[in-house]
Amino acid sequence: MILFVITAILTAIIMVILSDPLMKSATTWQSGVKLLITGALCVLALYLFLGSPDTPSRAAAFETLDNPRAQIRLKQQEELVLLQALSGEPDNTGLLLRLGTIQIESGRADDAIPHLARANTLRPGNADIQIALAAAYFSNGLRIAEENKPGAMDAARKEMEAALTYAPKGHPIRADIQRAISATASGH
């Protein structure tokens, strides 16, 4: 926006300098104001035509990968590509695992559970799938526990107990799940 204002002022000054001899009937002040307005309108039209970082249709051009909004957009795009790929290969456990992982990272563990459960059915005993499925149930249980609804703690505990059944023995996630189950049992 600052660039717009500076450009408008500079354009108006240049137009006044170049066209003052042409506007003999108007005073210099009047011609300057007219040219300032004309220049500002020209620059505004150019600004609106080219867009800005605030323009949603052009926002992606101004985003970098360290920008959280860009990361969210990339994950959404990847999720769409994975869903499309799964329509042609519904039994591809790698696609199911990646889709579930993205959904967990996006805070949608409840959406991830069916995809990861299918992958686990197709490849039982796969540690990566089991860890992701345990993480999905665990995340979902934590989300439910945060709700202040009647029965939320019981529902959260059930999700976490499901997570514990999938967490491989000796994996660090088991200790986290067991602590959370204890916390939900005591109502904290």
Side-chain angles (χ1 to χ4, degrees), residues 13-64:
I13 291 170
I14 291 170
M15 291 176 78
V16 167
I17 292 170
L18 294 177
S19 65
D20 189 49
L22 301 175
M23 300 183 103
K24 300 264 186 220
S25 62
T27 67
T28 304
W29 183 83
Q30 288 173 329
S31 63
V33 170
K34 288 178 185 177
L35 289 173
L36 178 65
I37 292 170
T38 305
L41 290 175
C42 290
V43 173
L44 177 62
L46 184 63
Y47 180 80
L48 292 174
F49 175 74
L50 294 177
S52 72
D54 300 330
T55 308
S57 63
R58 306 206 196 278
F62 294 94
E63 292 178 349
T64 59

Side-chain angles (χ1 to χ4, degrees), residues 9 21 24 32 38 49-50 55 66 79 113 142 157 171-172 180:
I9 292 170
K24 300 264 186 220
T38 305
F49 175 74
L50 294 177
T55 308
D66 59 345
E79 186 174 347
I113 291 171
L142 291 174
R157 190 172 36 262
H171 194 277

Side-chain angles (χ1 to χ4, degrees), residues 45-143:
L46 184 63
Y47 180 80
L48 292 174
F49 175 74
L50 294 177
S52 72
D54 300 330
T55 308
S57 63
R58 306 206 196 278
F62 294 94
E63 292 178 349
T64 59
L65 292 180
D66 59 345
N67 180 335
R69 200 167 47 169
Q71 292 173 358
I72 291 169
R73 190 181 319 272
L74 285 173
K75 285 197 190 272
Q76 290 170 338
Q77 290 171 348
E78 186 178 1
E79 186 174 347
L80 289 174
V81 168
L82 289 168
L83 286 168
Q84 209 171 28
L86 278 169
S87 68
E89 296 182 67
D91 294 341
N92 186 322
T93 55
L95 295 175
L96 290 165
L97 176 60
R98 182 65 189 139
L99 178 60
T101 303
I102 288 173
Q103 291 172 328
I104 293 168
E105 291 170 355
S106 300
R108 298 182 3 258
D110 52 334
D111 292 339
I113 291 171
H115 301 293
L116 295 170
R118 175 145 177 76
N120 191 53
T121 301
L122 294 168
R123 289 190 65 198
N126 181 291
D128 293 333
I129 294 171
Q130 289 177 332
I131 291 167
L133 188 54
Y137 276 111
F138 185 45
S139 295
N140 203 38
L142 291 174
R143 181 191 55 80

